[in-house]
């Protein structure tokens, strides 16, 4: 029986495909596939999982993921509400290894493209002018036909390959170790945490959902997520905290409790451990950036 979390997106007659995905929310399933993927969020916001990396996303988000790198763009809870009129839109390109063969990547002219391919195994988030350029170019692919489509894709790859405006996502040496029903089990974990991170997370409850003891669950989770379950939960909570800090509707103490922390001191400590600055410094930094832009 095939694993539904392993997706094949291209036929044997296709070099790449472009999809304009519109819906009430993004695909909520943790999955991976053998193709490279370039994704732009044209509308929507939520939490992005790439390998063992967790981060919030919003409109304009630009990411490339390499073959078989697990990923998930999970829309915020508001998108799943019964009476929601929110919509999401994602522009996605899938292309396979045959477009960039090993012999081609060895050529001098493809040095930067080769580095892009190598870095994509960890996932890459692009920002700044690079993000703006690719956001403008991606929709144009839908209008192209034949070899012109290939040329437009190569233009995008050239921009990404020559950019220094990026962050690597998954940890160095991250390896996809999912086998059998692992992806389905991890999906249960992700869904439970996303539904409950604002309140107390029960290790006993999540373990029971997988028919495990708390101890066996912790041993199971760590090598697959490349982090402890506690660290994973804290990253989800801090990701939500960053969104609230940027919205500037709550004070830091309120945000702490809104994100599931029972003590402000623990919230400050975990925030600094993950973001490398305090909540106050984070809010001040981005408010200053917002002021300078306006």
């Amino acid at each position: 029986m095939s694993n539904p979390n392993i997706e094949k997106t291209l036929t044997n007659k296709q070099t790449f495909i472009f999809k304009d995905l519109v819906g009430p929310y993004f695909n909520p399933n943790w999955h991976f596939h053998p193709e490279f993927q370039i994704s732009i969020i044209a509308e929507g916001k939520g939490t992005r999982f790439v390998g063992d990396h967790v981060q919030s996303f919003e409109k304009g988000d630009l990411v490339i993921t390499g073959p078989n790198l697990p990923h998930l763009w999970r829309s915020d809870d508001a998108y799943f509400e019964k009476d929601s009129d929110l919509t999401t839109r994602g522009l996605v390109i899938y292309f396979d290894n045959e477009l960039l063969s090993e012999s081609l990547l060895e050529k001098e002219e493809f040095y930067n493209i080769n580095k892009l391919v190598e870095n994509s195994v960890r996932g890459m988030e692009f920002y700044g002018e690079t993000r703006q350029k690719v956001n403008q170019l991606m929709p144009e692919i839908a209008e192209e036909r034949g070899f012109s489509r290939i040329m437009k894709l190569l233009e995008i790859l050239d921009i990404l390959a020559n950019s220094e405006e990026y962050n690597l996502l998954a940890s160095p040496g991250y390896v996809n170790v999912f086998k059998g029903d692992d992806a389905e089990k991890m999906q249960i974990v992700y869904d439970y945490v996303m539904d409950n991170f604002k309140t107390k997370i029960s290790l006993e409850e999540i373990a029971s959902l997988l028919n495990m003891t708390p101890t066996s669950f912790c041993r199971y989770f760590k090598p697959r997520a490349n982090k402890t379950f506690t660290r994973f939960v804290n990253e989800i909570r801090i990701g939500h905290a960053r969104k609230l800090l940027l919205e500037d509707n709550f004070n830091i103490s309120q945000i702490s409790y809104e994100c599931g922390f029972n003590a402000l001191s623990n919230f400050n400590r975990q925030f600094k451990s993950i973001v490398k600055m305090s909540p106050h410094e984070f809010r001040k930094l981005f408010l200053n950036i917002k002021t300078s832009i306006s």
Side-chain angles (χ1 to χ4, degrees), residues 106-239:
E106 290 175 352
K107 304 300 182 184
E108 182 179 318
E109 295 85 353
F110 281 79
Y111 176 81
N112 287 337
I113 294 289
N114 190 33
K115 294 299 293 183
L116 177 71
V117 169
E118 291 176 352
N119 283 330
S120 73
V121 302
R122 292 176 57 188
M124 303 170 69
E125 170 202 20
F126 292 87
Y127 55 88
E129 188 176 344
T130 303
R131 191 168 97 164
Q132 294 176 6
K133 286 181 179 178
V134 177
N135 266 269
Q136 292 172 352
L137 283 174
M138 279 274 275
E140 296 178 12
I141 286 188
E143 309 300 322
E144 302 290 348
R145 296 292 180 271
F147 192 69
S148 295
R149 283 168 61 86
I150 299 290
M151 293 297 291
K152 187 66 69 174
L153 172 58
L154 292 176
E155 184 180 356
I156 290 173
L157 289 174
D158 184 58
I159 292 171
L160 298 180
N162 288 284
S163 173
E164 296 182 356
E165 299 175 310
Y166 67 85
N167 297 312
L168 296 175
L169 301 180
S171 301
Y174 172 82
V175 177
N176 179 5
V177 297
F178 295 112
K179 297 177 182 179
D181 62 352
D182 280 346
E184 294 177 18
K185 289 180 178 178
M186 293 298 282
Q187 183 72 45
I188 292 172
V189 176
Y190 286 15
D191 289 343
Y192 175 84
V193 174
M194 293 302 296
D195 290 340
N196 295 281
F197 73 86
K198 295 181 182 179
T199 58
K200 183 179 180 180
I201 293 286
S202 168
L203 185 59
E204 289 75 14
E205 185 173 347
I206 183 59
S208 68
L209 292 176
L210 301 184
N211 297 315
M212 297 178 182
T213 66
T215 301
S216 61
F217 168 73
C218 290
R219 285 200 302 263
Y220 175 86
F221 183 86
K222 187 174 181 179
R224 288 160 180 82
N226 205 30
K227 64 190 71 174
T228 65
F229 180 65
T230 298
R231 175 74 178 192
F232 175 73
V233 172
N234 283 336
E235 287 182 358
I236 299 295
R237 287 172 167 163
I238 296 304

Side-chain angles (χ1 to χ4, degrees), residues 48-64:
R48 170 173 24 89
F49 302 82
V50 176
D52 60 352
H53 186 267
V54 181
Q55 184 176 322
S56 59
F57 72 84
E58 58 185 12
K59 182 176 180 178
D61 188 66
L62 170 61
V63 168
I64 181 170

